[in-house]
Amino acid sequence: MKRSNLLIVAALLGLTILPLWWVAGIGPAAGTEWFAGSDRQAQDMILALAPAYLAWFEPLWQPASSEIESLLFALQAALGAGFIGYWFGVSVTRHGLRQSQPVRQPDPIPSRVDC
């Protein structure tokens, strides 16, 4: 393996393992969750600023935990990125195939004579 490839693999492993090792013994702060996102923070801020605020609607289904909610969000993002990548690949391939085909020239002699 080339030296540059080994450096890339080492950096990738370091970026993967180092954060997990760094937070191994740390738990979330009191009253918070590991995967709490900006939605929860916004809701808490709205309730702090306007305690009488009533939500317009409630979700149809609430996941069992915030980890499942994060998983579903990541799955939605991955499917969207896959769809966009597929569409982009098909578009580039079609364009390349159109460019590689020779341009059809009209026949110099008409095949039919109108009288």
Side-chain angles (χ1 to χ4, degrees):
M1 214 187 233
K2 291 183 180 179
R3 184 171 184 252
S4 61
N5 288 348
L6 288 175
L7 290 174
I8 291 173
V9 169
L12 182 65
L13 288 174
L15 288 173
T16 304
I17 295 171
L18 183 65
L20 295 174
W21 172 74
W22 188 26
V23 297
I26 302 173
T32 63
E33 298 179 29
W34 275 113
F35 297 99
S38 61
D39 291 344
R40 172 66 63 192
Q41 292 174 358
Q43 184 180 15
D44 293 342
M45 183 60 70
I46 290 170
L47 290 176
L49 294 174
Y53 176 79
L54 295 175
W56 294 357
F57 61 89
E58 292 294 321
L60 297 175
W61 174 71
Q62 186 67 32
S65 68
S66 60
E67 291 87 358
I68 294 173
E69 188 175 354
S70 295
L71 171 72
L72 293 173
F73 181 76
L75 181 64
Q76 176 186 358
L79 288 173
F83 177 77
I84 291 170
Y86 175 78
W87 175 81
F88 185 71
V90 167
S91 298
V92 168
T93 303
R94 283 183 185 166
H95 180 72
L97 289 174
R98 286 184 187 137
Q99 295 296 325
S100 67
Q101 292 179 352
V103 178
R104 281 188 68 203
Q105 298 292 331
D107 292 334
I109 302 171
S111 59
R112 183 178 89 156
V113 177
D114 292 334
C115 296

